[in-house]
Amino acid sequence: MSLFVRKPMATLMNEAQETGSHTLKRTLGAWGLTALGIGAIIGAGLFSITGMAAANHAGPAITISFIVAALGCLFAGLCYAEFASMIPVAGSAYTYSYATMGEFIAWIIGWDLVLEYAVGAATVGISWSRYLVKFLEGFDVHLPPQLTVGPWDGGIINLPAVSIIVLMSLLLIKGTKESAFVNAIIVGLKIAVVLVFIFLGWKYINNDNYHPYIPDNTGSFGAFGFSGIIRAAAIVFFAYIGFDAVSTAAQEAKNPKRDMPIGILGSLAICTILYLLFAHVMTGVTSYKTFAGKDGIAPVAVAIEHMGKMNAAGIIVQDYPWLNRAILVAILAGYSSVILVMLMGQSRVFYSMSKDGLIPKIFSTINPKTQTPSKSNLLFMLFVSLFAAFVPARVVGEMTSIGTLFAFILVCIGVWVMRVKMPELPRSFKTPLVPLVPILGIGVCLFMMVFLPMDTWIRLLVWMLIGLDIYLVYGVKNSLLGMGVANRKGMKLARYVGLGLCVLLLVAGGLHQYTVGFDTDRTLMYISIIFAVIHLLVFARKLNMKKEAESI
């Protein structure tokens, strides 16, 4: 039995048709799935990353950056739509990879999704706490600093971060229908605030702020010019993350073959249009240079400050001073729905991995009353809330784009493989122009990955090595398709993959230090070296033991 055994399509179709109290409940229609996607996509990233990317990388051409990022999402989204309509099973890219490229690749992508969803939810929870503090300060309500940040930031515990994660987890445990209803309300609020900003700001656009539309490169890679547009595209790609989470809810869709493509492509289309209009207004009401050095809600606040008339003293008097508070409300709501969908996506990916035997069975236990994986939700509520309570956001950073780009690449490859190896399977939605669209999706996503900073690559490689350890120790022996065989065909290749990851980690650590300078903090480089060397020794020893066993 090989590590690259593929999950039979007949088995997947049987899972998709399962009903009863011990299965996921089908409650989501086309609008519910679209709202789920919008809920995950539109977060505070739109309100903060846009200004930073424009000021440091693209200038007014940030709109082109959004288009480039949207193209990568579109190509991947078309591939996701075909898979979701053909294999309407929970698990998203993990399940698709299992059916097309085998168990080992499926494990890699499943573990990658853990990085995207679970760790990302904790990071977003920490950010939500920061914005809540700012919002309450506007009403002269000041929370004790010791209770709003973790011990490494000078506090005791981050209670607001814990509260929002617990609240969203309990909502998920209550039921998918209830979660979708609350998410729909939040989505309506977020879209309303974005539309108000676009509508009110449009009349204050000064066309002089668009010249030059593409500022000349400063001499540094990624600082304006063409390279700046692409670097900004890789950064604002963060703002698109989420539409792929729709595919994790395939087994909770009423009519997945019709509604899944609508939910995936519909949410992506709506958000792309809103992003382009938002960025156009934001860089039109004031020069992109005024956003330099701003973070949080400051870029949007700067734009709003320029929506007014200049008085005799040459100072602009805001026409809509209340809009900043509305933006804060939208950010809080945005982060809430992002956390909700992330936690939902994570539990559904683990649900599928657990049913396949790659992780413990507790993650696939369904509550017969609510028809949700409540035990899994409770475990992640505990894990993610503890992480958000005590670990500073800078340790994990914001949810990285690299994991999602990697998932998109595998999905594009998967559609291409399925068209070649299983062309006879019925598809209610077909990705057009195969293999051109998958190739373009792979190329655009890989292109943006290359433009991401080296420390992002280091995090991905470390996470992948940890996942490989778990798979080789637990997953291989407990896989249902592996039938309890511990030493399966392909183990040697898996260890060689581990050696390759170690070499890449050493290279990434060195390049990162070279980029930031060897006189700066070297902690990340030392972690890379130690982690890589330990794994190099372990994998080399295992390979040597196998050779010795074969020679006896």
Side-chain angles (χ1 to χ4, degrees):
M1 185 62 64
S2 170
L3 293 188
F4 293 91
V5 59
R6 291 184 296 176
K7 196 168 186 179
M9 289 299 298
T11 302
L12 287 170
M13 292 302 103
N14 289 335
E15 288 182 16
Q17 295 169 8
E18 288 178 350
T19 58
S21 60
H22 293 282
T23 61
L24 297 172
K25 189 176 182 180
R26 295 191 179 278
T27 58
L28 299 174
W31 162 244
L33 291 167
T34 302
L36 196 69
I38 297 173
I41 297 170
I42 300 182
L46 173 64
F47 303 107
S48 57
I49 290 177
T50 306
M52 180 271 289
N56 301 329
H57 303 289
I62 186 65
T63 49
I64 299 178
S65 300
F66 271 117
I67 292 173
V68 171
L71 279 175
C73 292
L74 174 62
F75 296 139
L78 289 168
C79 295
Y80 263 103
E82 176 169 327
F83 264 133
S85 66
M86 184 172 59
I87 311 175
V89 180
S92 183
Y94 160 77
T95 301
Y96 309 152
S97 299
Y98 212 156
T100 56
M101 291 174 281
E103 182 178 288
F104 182 57
I105 302 299
W107 170 268
I108 290 174
I109 195 62
W111 190 248
D112 177 57
L113 291 174
V114 175
L115 175 68
E116 179 185 350
Y117 294 138
V119 179
T123 308
V124 175
I126 295 169
S127 297
W128 186 91
S129 173
R130 185 172 68 246
Y131 285 112
L132 178 67
V133 171
K134 287 186 178 184
F135 178 72
L136 293 177
E137 285 175 351
F139 295 95
D140 201 28
V141 176
H142 302 278
L143 298 177
Q146 298 87 347
L147 302 181
T148 58
V149 292
W152 279 278
D153 290 324
I156 299 174
I157 185 174
N158 194 332
L159 282 181
V162 173
S163 66
I164 189 61
I165 289 168
V166 169
L167 182 62
M168 293 298 104
S169 297
L170 293 176
L171 183 58
L172 285 171
I173 292 171
K174 178 68 176 175
T176 303
K177 184 177 181 179
E178 292 80 0
S179 302
F181 175 73
V182 173
N183 181 66
I185 295 174
I186 294 175
V187 166
L189 173 63
K190 288 193 292 187
I191 291 179
V193 172
V194 171
L195 289 175
V196 167
F197 176 82
I198 294 169
F199 179 77
L200 295 180
W202 197 271
K203 63 181 179 181
Y204 297 100
I205 290 177
N206 181 354
N207 288 324
D208 291 340
N209 291 323
Y210 297 129
H211 300 290
Y213 191 68
I214 304 178
D216 293 333
N217 185 268
T218 62
S220 300
F221 184 82
F224 306 107
F226 174 76
S227 65
I229 291 174
I230 303 302
R231 171 62 65 83
I235 292 171
V236 300
F237 185 84
F238 168 84
Y240 281 104
I241 291 175
F243 78 86
D244 59 309
V246 174
S247 60
T248 66
Q251 273 182 268
E252 290 152 284
K254 295 176 182 176
N255 187 356
K257 291 187 176 182
R258 183 200 68 185
D259 296 342
M260 291 303 295
I262 294 174
I264 292 170
L265 299 176
S267 60
L268 179 58
I270 291 171
C271 291
T272 298
I273 293 170
L274 290 175
Y275 282 9
L276 290 174
L277 293 173
F278 190 92
H280 181 73
V281 171
M282 191 171 176
T283 55
V285 297
T286 184
S287 170
Y288 69 91
K289 296 178 182 178
T290 59
F291 300 126
K294 308 295 183 181
D295 59 3
I297 63 163
V300 180
V302 170
I304 293 172
E305 287 170 2
H306 287 77
M307 295 180 188
K309 300 175 182 63
M310 191 172 294
N311 60 21
I315 299 173
I316 296 177
V317 179
Q318 293 183 52
D319 287 344
Y320 311 106
W322 52 268
L323 192 52
N324 267 328
R325 187 165 292 172
I327 293 293
L328 260 179
V329 172
I331 289 176
L332 286 170
Y335 266 141
S336 299
S337 61
V338 169
I339 293 169
L340 178 73
V341 179
M342 279 182 179
L343 291 172
M344 178 181 180
Q346 174 56 70
S347 63
R348 272 46 173 184
V349 171
F350 260 42
Y351 169 81
S352 294
M353 296 175 77
S354 176
K355 286 194 71 175
D356 294 330
L358 300 182
I359 55 176
K361 285 295 180 185
I362 189 172
F363 293 104
S364 57
T365 302
I366 297 295
N367 186 316
K369 185 177 180 180
T370 62
Q371 289 186 258
T372 60
S374 56
K375 291 183 180 179
S376 180
N377 288 135
L378 284 171
L379 284 172
F380 276 107
M381 180 183 76
L382 178 64
F383 170 74
V384 177
S385 60
L386 284 175
F387 203 78
F390 300 110
V391 179
R394 65 176 180 272
V395 173
V396 291
E398 290 188 338
M399 184 176 62
T400 178
S401 300
I402 198 167
T404 307
L405 286 166
F406 184 44
F408 287 3
I409 288 173
L410 288 180
V411 168
C412 290
I413 294 173
V415 162
W416 191 0
V417 170
M418 288 289 279
R419 285 293 187 90
V420 174
K421 294 195 173 184
M422 302 179 185
E424 74 285 353
L425 286 176
R427 297 162 167 85
S428 60
F429 177 89
K430 279 192 172 184
T431 304
L433 302 174
V434 174
L436 179 60
V437 167
I439 290 173
L440 289 173
I442 294 166
V444 173
C445 291
L446 187 60
F447 194 52
M448 285 191 283
M449 284 179 74
V450 171
F451 277 76
L452 287 169
M454 276 297 116
D455 59 341
T456 304
W457 281 90
I458 291 172
R459 287 194 293 270
L460 177 66
L461 291 168
V462 168
W463 187 257
M464 288 295 105
L465 281 170
I466 294 172
L468 186 59
D469 294 339
I470 296 173
Y471 176 67
L472 293 177
V473 172
Y474 182 91
V476 169
K477 292 185 292 187
N478 294 278
S479 166
L480 293 183
L481 293 184
M483 295 183 291
V485 179
N487 193 18
R488 292 157 60 186
K489 184 180 178 181
M491 292 288 283
K492 184 177 179 181
L493 178 59
R495 293 189 176 107
Y496 275 122
V497 169
L499 289 174
L501 290 174
C502 292
V503 173
L504 288 174
L505 181 57
L506 288 171
V507 172
L511 287 175
H512 167 69
Q513 200 62 46
Y514 175 79
T515 302
V516 300
F518 286 92
D519 294 332
T520 59
D521 184 24
R522 301 179 186 178
T523 303
L524 203 55
M525 184 181 72
Y526 291 145
I527 290 174
S528 302
I529 293 173
I530 294 170
F531 204 83
V533 169
I534 291 174
H535 279 81
L536 278 170
L537 294 174
V538 172
F539 290 134
R541 179 174 175 272
K542 291 286 185 180
L543 287 168
N544 188 53
M545 288 172 62
K546 182 176 177 62
K547 287 180 181 178
E548 290 178 354
E550 290 173 348
S551 64
I552 296 175

